[in-house]
Amino acid sequence: MAVNIPKTSLAPELGDMKAEDFRRLGHELIDWIADYFEKIDDLPVLAAIEPGDLKAKLPTAPPALGEAMEKIITDLDRLIVPALTHWSHPSFFAYFATSTSAPGIFGELLSAAFDNKAMLWRTSPASTELEEVVLDWLRQMMGLDPGMHGIIYDTASVSTLHAIAAAREGVEQRIREDGMSGRPDLPLLRVYVSEQSHSSVEKAVITLGLGQRGMRKIPTDSEFRMDPKALAEAINEDKRNGYLPFCIVATVGTTSTSSIDPVHEIVPIGEEHAMWLHVDAAYAGSAAIVPEFRHILDGCERADSIVTNPHKWLFTPFDLSVLYCRHMDLLKRAFSLVPEYLRTPEQEKVRSGSDYGIQLGRRFRALKLWMVMRYFGHEGLAARIREHCRLAQLFASWIDESSDWELMAPVPLALVCFRAKPKSRDDLDALNEAIMHGVNASGRALLSHTRLNDKLTLRLSIGNIRTGEQHVRNVWELLNEQLQLLR
Ligand SMILES: Cc1ncc(COP(=O)(O)O)c(C=O)c1O
């Protein structure tokens, strides 16, 4: 991917890079990225370096004088690329496999050029209004209720934090004004999640000053879904003890197994106790744009908020998370604070992003989502997600048919949880860990793991736009090679 740049492009004495250099280098860099994608199959998925290797090769002091761009790009090839774990690699199957896409990269590039801080409508009308329109398109594609309004944050962790903050504002305990500490009048506020919920919910609870005591984990059934009966009992018990249950977080697509909590059964429990229901669909929300998977959001029409991450499975570069919320007024009440220097004549007539979160300046993220949605269209996006689910079912069928392997959880979407179980070995945790490390060390694929029913479990997640059947066949071969070596 070496870049052949003819002239030296040093920074002028003042001002930005000369226009002609920007144009030439920009073309070269797009070529560089095109080459990167063309050759990515040959790169090791997991960075083949040891901790500290990159730092040891970098100067400890900043450059006093500017350096030629050619030299910087040479170092990109020489130093940075070898230290990358390639999330864009089609054989990246770890965590939740995600990927950027060409239109998303263009959107990201342009938003860096515009460099808008979309805190007020007037500081970026385009960003403010495009965000509203694009999120309404996505809402329609997901079949969500028109009463849900969207707002973009960076990550699902932050979206969920804002949802719980709005829920907390809704308990009418003057927490915004009086805080939570030193208040004997305030009961213990509690949030309910399943044992399989993402750690971001607990982090949000900690950050919001509710404390880990302010969260109760509800057991799951044999398919890793929240048990609604146990939820109802926990809430009733907590109420009897004087606590204030105020929020339930259900998950549609849990991180370990992509299990789907029974939202339609959880809804009436929340309604009975006037609690806020937030749905964490960070991963699986995108699948709802595929008509045959729309049912995963059944019940969400009565939720108060729902988070989904286009940066996970909608081919949009990191970061872009969307919170849909039915009570934007409460979100605004929790966060809006407008000092004199931010007042504008139109403020009563328009939406200003900074009213709905802790950030003031906001990136122009809607642009990349707009480009992705227009370039692929609803059907194009749905076709890609559908294909990922087909590939996951195919891989699951190989596991099912082999006596050396077993499935560890149902496969509702494009994540397969499995492990080796040859008769020759009884230390299956150690065996599966060794298989995973063997595959990952080969550089030809990347897997991650979880623990289910106290058993080490391998995870294969398919979500990259470049992943095809051949990549899935290759990782299956790799896994079996490792098993033969270790059995
Ligand atoms: C179900 C779920 N919720 C939340 C998150 C956190 O996502 P983010 O990195 O956008 O904060 C993840 C990440 O994988 C997830 O799987």
Side-chain angles (χ1 to χ4, degrees), residues 49 53-59 71-84:
I49 65 164
D53 277 2
L54 175 60
K55 274 187 355 195
K57 290 183 185 145
L58 295 170
K71 190 159 172 262
I72 303 171
I73 292 171
T74 305
D75 283 350
L76 179 72
D77 276 312
R78 195 173 63 87
L79 300 171
I80 305 300
V81 173
L84 286 173

Side-chain angles (χ1 to χ4, degrees), residues 96 155-157 198 200 251 253 255 280 282 309 311-312:
F96 277 128
T155 58
S157 307
H198 190 263
S200 56
T251 312
T255 312
D280 178 356
N309 275 2
H311 72 222
K312 275 195 167 43

Side-chain angles (χ1 to χ4, degrees), residues 30 167 220 245 264 447 481:
I30 294 290
T220 52
H264 56 284
L447 300 171
E481 273 170 29

Side-chain angles (χ1 to χ4, degrees), residues 95-96 154-158 160 196-201 251-256 280-283 307 309 311-312 318 321:
Y95 312 107
F96 277 128
D154 52 2
T155 58
S157 307
V158 170
T160 290
Q196 293 288 324
S197 70
H198 190 263
S199 54
S200 56
V201 186
T251 312
V252 170
T254 56
T255 312
S256 279
D280 178 356
Y283 161 64
V307 57
N309 275 2
H311 72 222
K312 275 195 167 43
F318 189 77
S321 174

